[in-house]
């Protein structure tokens, strides 16, 4: 790792690592059809099906590997932002629910939109751009006061108060063992639901990429003389950083997130091209733009309020045992399931 830092510098090493992790995530997510929104739709319709199996495999794989790395002292997440910094319980609840509503309306979360856009889906591209702009507005722009107001309702200090391993008093080895049992059960469930072996393997690859993100950024932080944030796969923040880097008249500050976004695009597009699945998709009568745009707004604001997207909170924060991340992803499920069931009761207009 020291050699990579000497060659590229801290920012360059982080960006390079982000690109590699992104390629793995993008290819695995495209091949496995990993999608939290699709999983919640199955549950909302009373079906425990293959899409839920794929999400469970990715989640338990990430949790198993990350906690095993912590148990064997290859990884220390005590300084990661998801644990060390102050968090917002109200933000996790409200933002998570908003994100869940938005991803059902937009038919995909932030990561899924990036994967789909990389495979030629113009609906996902436009929706993702709107999501990114709203997220930036919620972070530093006109929506920031509203975000700060809501997040300040109920806060929690960083450290032990935000660390589930400290709250519940279980060891990382115990968490890893329980998660491993969950992973085996999820794989068995996937076979029962006749999920293809390639989807099972690549679903696990999604979880592996999350663990790899934590491990590589921690290794760079340990080898660097500078303060390097320990992070993993997440999309809302890195997407805004990437967009601002493309449009702002300033030098680009390389980071793990700056490398991650183009890496995911390369991995997803490459996997789609190899499989012969890359094609242009547009808005149509059955895919109204206004629904997608409303969903994008809710997801952009909700992700910044919740402290992460479906992957940033759901897999990365969840595998780190961040209290606010677990709370956020729970309310993403609640918001998504409730929205889908509500939409099913609304008559769909017939187009001539």
């Amino acid at each position: 790792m020291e050699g990579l830092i000497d060659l590229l510098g801290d920012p360059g090493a982080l960006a390079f690592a982000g690109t590699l992790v992104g390629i793995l995530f993008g290819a695995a997510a495209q091949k496995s059809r990993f999608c939290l929104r699709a999983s919640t739709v199955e549950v909302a319709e009373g079906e425990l099906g293959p899409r839920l199996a794929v999400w469970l495999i990715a989640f338990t794989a990430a949790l198993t590997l990350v906690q095993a790395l912590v148990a064997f002292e290859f990884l220390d997440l005590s300084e990661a932002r998801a644990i060390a910094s102050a968090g917002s319980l109200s933000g996790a609840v409200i933002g998570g629910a908003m994100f869940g509503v938005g991803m059902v309306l937009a038919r995909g979360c932030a990561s899924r939109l990036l994967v789909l856009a990389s495979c030629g889906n113009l609906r996902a591209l436009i929706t993702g751009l709107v999501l990114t702009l709203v997220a930036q507005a919620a972070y530093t722009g006109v929506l920031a006061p509203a975000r700060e107001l809501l997040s300040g309702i109920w806060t929690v200090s960083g450290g032990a108060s935000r660390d589930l391993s400290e709250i519940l008093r279980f060891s990382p080895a115990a968490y890893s063992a329980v998660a491993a049992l969950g992973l085996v059960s999820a794989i068995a469930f996937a076979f029962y639901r006749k999920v293809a072996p390639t989807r099972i393997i690549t679903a696990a690859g999604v979880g592996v990429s999350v663990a790899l993100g934590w491990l590589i950024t921690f290794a760079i932080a340990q080898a660097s003389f500078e303060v390097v944030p320990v992070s993993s796969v997440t999309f809302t923040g890195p997407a805004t950083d990437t967009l601002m880097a493309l449009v702002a008249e300033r030098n680009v500050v390389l980071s793990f997130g700056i490398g991650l976004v183009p890496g995911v695009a390369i991995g997803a597009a490459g996997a789609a091209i190899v499989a012969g699945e890359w094609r242009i998709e547009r808005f149509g009568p059955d895919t109204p733009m206004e629904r997608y745009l409303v969903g994008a707004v809710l997801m952009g604001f909700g992700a910044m309020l919740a402290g992460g997207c479906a992957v940033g909170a759901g897999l990365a924060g969840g595998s780190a045992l961040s209290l606010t991340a677990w709370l956020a992803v729970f309310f993403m499920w609640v918001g998504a399931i409730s929205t889908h069931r509500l939409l099913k009761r609304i008559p769909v207009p017939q187009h001539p």
Side-chain angles (χ1 to χ4, degrees), residues 193-208:
R193 299 301 298 176
K194 295 181 172 54
V195 178
T198 52
R199 287 189 68 188
I200 294 174
I201 294 170
T202 51
V206 172
V208 170

Side-chain angles (χ1 to χ4, degrees), residues 82-89 154-163 323-324:
I83 299 292
S85 63
S88 170
L89 298 176
W154 188 14
T155 61
V156 60
S157 58
S161 299
R162 200 177 174 188
D163 188 346
L323 170 62
T324 51

Side-chain angles (χ1 to χ4, degrees), residues 61-293:
L63 183 57
T64 299
L65 290 173
V66 170
Q67 290 305 306
L69 290 170
V70 174
F72 287 103
E73 299 183 351
F74 291 113
L75 180 62
D76 181 3
L77 296 176
S78 60
E79 296 302 317
R81 182 180 178 184
I83 299 292
S85 63
S88 170
L89 298 176
S90 57
V93 172
I94 301 170
M98 290 179 67
F99 191 94
V101 174
M103 72 179 181
V104 169
L105 294 176
R107 298 185 180 179
C109 66
S111 64
R112 185 62 179 162
L113 291 175
L114 176 57
V115 169
L116 290 174
S118 305
C119 299
N121 190 315
L122 300 182
R123 299 191 305 271
L125 175 62
I126 294 172
T127 306
L129 287 173
V130 174
L131 185 160
T132 302
L133 290 172
V134 173
Q136 184 63 33
Y139 183 53
T140 59
V142 295
L143 297 178
R147 175 186 57 80
E148 293 169 357
L149 176 64
L150 293 173
S151 64
I153 295 173
W154 188 14
T155 61
V156 60
S157 58
S161 299
R162 200 177 174 188
D163 188 346
L164 282 175
S165 64
E166 293 291 336
I167 295 171
L168 300 178
R169 296 293 181 180
F170 289 111
S171 68
Y175 284 114
S176 182
V178 172
L181 289 175
L183 176 58
V184 171
S185 300
I187 292 173
F189 172 56
F191 276 113
Y192 172 74
R193 299 301 298 176
K194 295 181 172 54
V195 178
T198 52
R199 287 189 68 188
I200 294 174
I201 294 170
T202 51
V206 172
V208 170
S209 68
V210 171
L212 193 60
W214 284 123
L215 181 62
I216 292 178
T217 56
F218 175 72
I220 294 175
Q222 291 296 103
S224 175
F225 291 105
E226 304 295 330
V227 177
V228 173
V230 180
S231 61
S232 186
V233 181
T234 187
F235 288 98
T236 312
T240 60
D241 292 341
T242 303
L243 181 61
M244 291 302 103
L246 292 173
V247 301
E249 294 183 1
R250 56 182 174 83
N251 293 328
V252 177
V253 178
L254 296 177
S255 65
F256 182 81
I258 289 288
L260 177 70
V261 173
V264 171
I266 293 169
I273 291 170
V274 169
E277 296 174 349
W278 199 100
R279 62 181 181 274
I280 296 294
E281 295 185 44
R282 302 176 176 85
F283 288 102
D286 296 326
T287 53
M289 179 182 285
E290 59 271 21
R291 170 174 163 162
Y292 283 77
L293 296 184

Side-chain angles (χ1 to χ4, degrees), residues 36-37 40-41 44 92-105 298 327-343:
L36 176 59
R37 194 276 310 179
T40 62
V41 167
V93 172
I94 301 170
M98 290 179 67
F99 191 94
V101 174
M103 72 179 181
V104 169
L105 294 176
L298 290 172
L327 192 61
V329 76
F330 173 78
F331 278 93
M332 288 178 191
W333 276 87
V334 171
I337 291 173
S338 301
T339 302
H340 181 76
R341 289 179 174 174
L342 179 62
L343 290 175

